[in-house]
Every structure is written in C-alpha cells, then in structure tokens.
Amino acid sequence: MFGIPLNGPTSVFCDNESVVINATRCESPLRRKHTSIAYHRCREAQAAKYVQIGFQRGRNNPADILTKLLPGPRMRALLRRLFYWSKEPVPA
C-alpha cells in the first residue's frame, strides 16, 4: 500500500466496547444511515483482512496523548509505551 509492503492486517484498537462490537459483528443493528455506512466500510475492511479491530482499555491507549489532557506521569508512561523509551536517561 502506497509503496510500503504490508505483512498482514493493520491493527486498530479502540477503547469503546460498543464500537468494537458494531465494527466486528455483522448481526449488530445499525440505526442511523451515516453510522451504518461507516461501520459497513469497517466490516468490509475486516472481512478482506485489511484491518484487525480490537479492544484496548483507555488507560493503556497511547492515542489518549493526542485526544485528552493528561497528567504528566501518565503522559510520560504512554510516551514510553508508544516509543519504547526506557525509564533511565541515556548516557552522554
């Protein structure tokens, strides 16, 4: 895709269980047209093995850095998780 080889489906994690259920189960009822179109695309991509949708608790979700105001320690913990930083400073 875009000149980058992919080795399997892209993982998409969400911290909302109802979104994960609606995106992964075709028998889930969708009441609004705009949501049914969006979920149809998600289900289609998952069926084609382009994406793999999963649940991840909010406290472990590194995307919270971009969407929420976080206290310093939590932000540093998520940054370490996202970039695999060690707790110890790098020697000069």
Side-chain angles (χ1 to χ4, degrees):
M1 176 177 277
F2 300 111
I4 300 170
L6 299 176
N7 300 327
T10 301
S11 297
V12 177
F13 295 104
C14 184
D15 61 357
N16 186 327
E17 289 184 66
S18 62
V19 170
V20 173
I21 290 169
N22 284 330
T24 56
R25 295 189 184 156
C26 61
E27 66 272 4
S28 170
L30 302 171
R31 302 186 193 280
R32 306 243 188 263
K33 184 176 181 178
H34 67 281
T35 56
S36 66
I37 291 170
Y39 282 117
H40 175 72
R41 295 288 293 155
C42 291
R43 292 173 182 171
E44 195 176 69
Q46 187 169 6
K49 305 259 190 253
Y50 293 138
V51 297
Q52 176 181 349
I53 301 170
F55 177 75
Q56 183 172 22
R57 297 236 174 257
R59 67 178 178 270
N60 298 328
N61 194 346
D64 283 355
I65 295 169
L66 304 172
T67 60
K68 296 182 177 104
L69 183 62
L70 302 172
R74 177 145 183 250
M75 179 175 257
R76 283 189 292 279
L78 288 174
L79 282 170
R80 267 195 301 278
R81 179 183 162 101
L82 185 62
F83 295 111
Y84 304 108
W85 289 343
S86 66
K87 291 183 180 182
E88 300 172 20
V90 177

